[in-house]
Amino acid sequence: MIRKVRSNVQDILFKNSKEKYSWITKGAIINVCGNAKKMAIGVNQDLIKIISKERHFDLIQAREFINNLIETKHYQKDIY
């Protein structure tokens, strides 16, 4: 059986996703630091899900939204 491992960061992100989305739309800067193979990928996927849920976007639109955050330096990664 394959079990998806979630980090505490992901659990915290998804709790009160409406509040997290509000922070993002008000200009919050997201900094992700840590393991590139596990945690960072999971956090990115959860951010896409949060944007999709709260903004009523499909996954493609949510990814574009995330890419815009990256371009405007509101989503930064220091991963290894």
Side-chain angles (χ1 to χ4, degrees), residues 4 13 16 20 27-28 30 35-36 38 40 46 58 63-65 80:
K4 182 179 178 188
L13 261 179
N16 302 313
K20 305 307 185 291
I30 302 163
N35 185 304
K38 295 180 183 175
D46 280 355
D58 62 33
R63 284 186 193 107
E64 289 171 358
F65 186 94
Y80 50 88

Side-chain angles (χ1 to χ4, degrees), residues 1-5:
M1 175 201 294
I2 298 175
R3 210 175 120 203
K4 182 179 178 188
V5 178

Side-chain angles (χ1 to χ4, degrees), residues 3-63:
R3 210 175 120 203
K4 182 179 178 188
V5 178
R6 291 183 56 85
S7 70
N8 288 338
V9 172
Q10 289 171 263
D11 292 335
I12 291 168
L13 261 179
F14 225 75
K15 281 185 183 179
N16 302 313
S17 63
K18 183 175 254 171
E19 179 182 25
K20 305 307 185 291
Y21 173 73
S22 175
W23 293 352
I24 292 167
T25 61
K26 291 178 182 175
I29 296 174
I30 302 163
N31 290 297
V32 177
C33 303
N35 185 304
K37 291 184 180 179
K38 295 180 183 175
M39 186 272 303
I41 291 171
V43 168
N44 192 68
Q45 290 171 343
D46 280 355
L47 284 172
I48 290 169
K49 289 176 189 173
I50 288 169
I51 298 302
S52 178
K53 175 186 170 196
E54 300 300 337
R55 194 150 180 137
H56 308 288
F57 276 176
D58 62 33
L59 292 179
I60 292 170
Q61 291 171 308
R63 284 186 193 107

